[in-house]
Amino acid sequence: MIPLSPKELAAAYSDALTFDNPLTAAISTDQFSASYSSRPAWALGPFTKDDSLTFRPTGQWNDPTGIGWTSSSIFNPSAIVKDSSLHLFYRASPRKESTASRIGLAINDGSGWVDFADNPIIFPTRDNELLSCEDPKVYAAEGRYFMFYNGIWSAAGSQEQSEYPSPGYPVETLGCDINVAVSDDLLHWEKLGLAVPYEVSRLWAKGAVIPRNPNGEAVKIDGQYLMYLSEGCNGIRYVGRSTDMINWTFEPQQYLDLTELGGTLYEVACAVTEHDESHDLVLDFFYSDENGDFAAAQALFSRNAPFTQRALNRGGSLAWGGLTSLNGTLAFAQGWDSAPETREMFFYRTVAS
C-alpha cells in the first residue's frame, strides 16, 4: 500500500480533475424514484423533489492537506435528525463521481442550511484513504453515532493484492475499504479503521448497509446489528453481525434473488425498517437490468427472516445513507441532478399521508 504523503495526495487530486465518465454523468435520481410501473403496498416511494430543502454550499473549504483541493460536485449523502436539526453528511469531489473526495456536513435547524465551519470532517489521513474518502452512511446506536465510509487506495502491484487474491471479483487498480468512525455529537469524529477485514473484502467491499429506522437508528435483529455487503468480497455476498457496531463477524449469505427482474446486482443502497407497523424490512438496491441499463428496485423481507426474500418491485430511492422521517414523509437527498460544475443537493420525499 502506498504511504500517504502530500506528494501522493497532490497526484491523486490532479488525476481526479481530469475524470469524466459519460455513464455516471448522465445519472438522474428521477429515473429511479419518480415513478414505478407498479406499486405494491409495501414498496417505499415513489418520491418527488422538495425544492424548499435544496442545499447549495457557498465558497470552498479550508484544505487541511495543503494541496489546494476544491470541489465542484456533491452527492451520495446520509441524513439524520438530531435535536430537531437535520444533519446532512455528503461526499464532495473535484469532479462528479471522481475520487479525491472528502466528506462534509451541513446543518439545517429550520431556518436554512449552514455548512459546518470545520469541514471537511473526514479527509485522507490514513494510507488506505490516499485516493479518496467517500459515501458516508451514518447511524445512531449505543448512545453514539457511527459513520461507515469508503476509503480508496491504489491496489495495483501492492503486497495486499498478492496476499488477498480476488478471482471472483477482480481488483486490478483500486482498493475500496469500508472504514468506520465514531462521534458523540455528529460534529467531531474519531476514525477507528477497517470495519471489514481483507480476509472478507479481498480489497474491495461496498455496502455497510445496516437496517435503519427513519429516525436514523440502527435496528438490532434477533439481538444483533446486521450489515449487508453487496459489492466486491471476491464476488460473494456476505452479512456481518455485531453487538456494538464496531466489532463485526462475517459469513457468506445469499439474501437477494433477481431472477424475477433479470439483470445483476451492483450494490444495496439501504435497509429500511420500523417505517410502518408491519415489522417488515425493505432492501433498496442498485442493479443492471435485463437490458444492461442502470435500475433500482426494492426487496421485501420479514424482520424475523432478514435473508428470506418475499417480494420484489422495480423502482427505488437509491438512498445510500438511508431514508429519513421528515414531517410525516420519508425523505432522502442526492446531488446527481445538479448541473455540471454546480454543487447542489436536492431532497426527495414521499407524498404526506
Side-chain angles (χ1 to χ4, degrees):
M1 188 177 296
I2 299 172
L4 184 145
S5 69
K7 178 181 177 181
E8 295 295 342
L9 285 171
Y13 175 54
S14 178
D15 287 345
L17 289 172
T18 66
F19 178 82
D20 181 44
N21 185 329
L23 287 176
T24 57
I27 288 177
S28 169
T29 301
D30 283 344
Q31 78 188 72
F32 306 114
S33 65
S35 63
Y36 301 167
S37 57
S38 63
R39 191 204 177 280
W42 61 266
L44 307 179
F47 298 83
T48 59
K49 186 188 293 185
D50 180 352
D51 290 327
S52 70
L53 285 173
T54 299
F55 167 58
R56 298 180 178 90
T58 59
Q60 294 286 344
W61 302 335
N62 292 327
D63 176 22
T65 66
I67 62 170
W69 182 94
T70 60
S71 65
S72 72
S73 181
I74 58 174
F75 52 100
N76 290 5
S78 184
I80 189 169
V81 175
K82 177 180 181 290
D83 299 332
S84 300
S85 293
L86 183 58
H87 292 63
L88 179 69
F89 296 86
Y90 61 93
R91 173 179 171 182
S93 297
R95 300 287 300 274
K96 183 178 179 182
E97 295 286 348
S98 76
T99 55
S101 297
R102 315 296 190 242
I103 294 171
L105 165 66
I107 303 171
N108 189 334
D109 64 1
S111 58
W113 289 105
V114 176
D115 214 25
F116 185 48
D118 291 338
N119 279 335
I121 57 169
I122 298 288
F123 60 94
T125 59
R126 299 185 174 210
D127 292 348
N128 76 334
E129 301 169 347
L130 170 60
L131 300 185
S132 211
C133 294
E134 306 179 350
D135 302 349
K137 290 176 169 60
V138 178
Y139 305 90
E142 305 296 312
R144 308 182 75 185
Y145 299 95
F146 297 81
M147 179 192 297
F148 296 85
Y149 64 96
N150 293 131
I152 308 298
W153 51 284
S154 179
S158 66
Q159 181 178 341
E160 291 84 0
Q161 192 177 45
S162 299
E163 291 180 356
Y164 301 100
S166 181
Y169 190 98
V171 177
E172 297 174 351
T173 55
L174 302 181
C176 179
D177 293 342
I178 296 176
N179 294 334
V180 61
V182 297
S183 174
D184 293 320
D185 59 6
L186 288 178
L187 305 179
H188 307 93
W189 293 85
E190 176 189 1
K191 294 180 179 180
L192 300 183
L194 278 179
V196 182
Y198 290 155
E199 289 83 0
V200 173
S201 74
R202 298 286 160 167
L203 311 189
W204 190 281
K206 283 192 174 181
V209 171
I210 298 167
R212 178 186 191 260
N213 68 26
N215 295 323
E217 297 163 337
V219 175
K220 283 184 176 178
I221 295 177
D222 196 23
Q224 294 180 308
Y225 300 108
L226 300 181
M227 181 191 294
Y228 293 86
L229 301 181
S230 51
E231 186 177 301
C233 299
N234 195 28
I236 300 169
R237 289 178 200 161
Y238 279 85
V239 167
R241 289 178 168 84
S242 175
T243 58
D244 61 7
M245 293 284 283
I246 297 174
N247 300 291
W248 294 85
T249 59
F250 295 88
E251 62 182 19
Q253 178 67 64
Q254 286 291 347
Y255 54 83
L256 270 181
D257 180 358
L258 272 61
T259 303
E260 177 185 332
L261 295 173
T264 56
L265 179 67
Y266 286 131
E267 186 179 352
V268 175
C270 60
V272 186
T273 191
E274 297 185 353
H275 51 285
D276 57 23
E277 298 178 356
S278 67
H279 301 290
D280 286 338
L281 172 69
V282 177
L283 293 189
D284 189 293
F285 61 91
F286 183 41
Y287 74 107
S288 173
D289 70 11
E290 68 278 9
N291 299 314
D293 296 327
F294 291 151
Q298 295 174 359
L300 175 67
F301 301 79
S302 294
R303 269 260 297 274
N304 60 3
F307 314 131
T308 303
Q309 180 177 304
R310 294 166 51 197
L312 285 174
N313 190 65
R314 179 157 178 163
S317 68
L318 297 189
W320 302 110
L323 295 173
T324 301
S325 178
L326 292 180
N327 300 322
T329 67
L330 293 176
F332 69 97
Q334 185 54 271
W336 286 336
D337 291 293
S338 61
E341 306 299 312
T342 301
R343 297 179 299 168
E344 292 180 312
M345 189 74 71
F346 302 114
F347 272 77
Y348 301 81
R349 301 168 69 154
T350 55
V351 176
S353 57

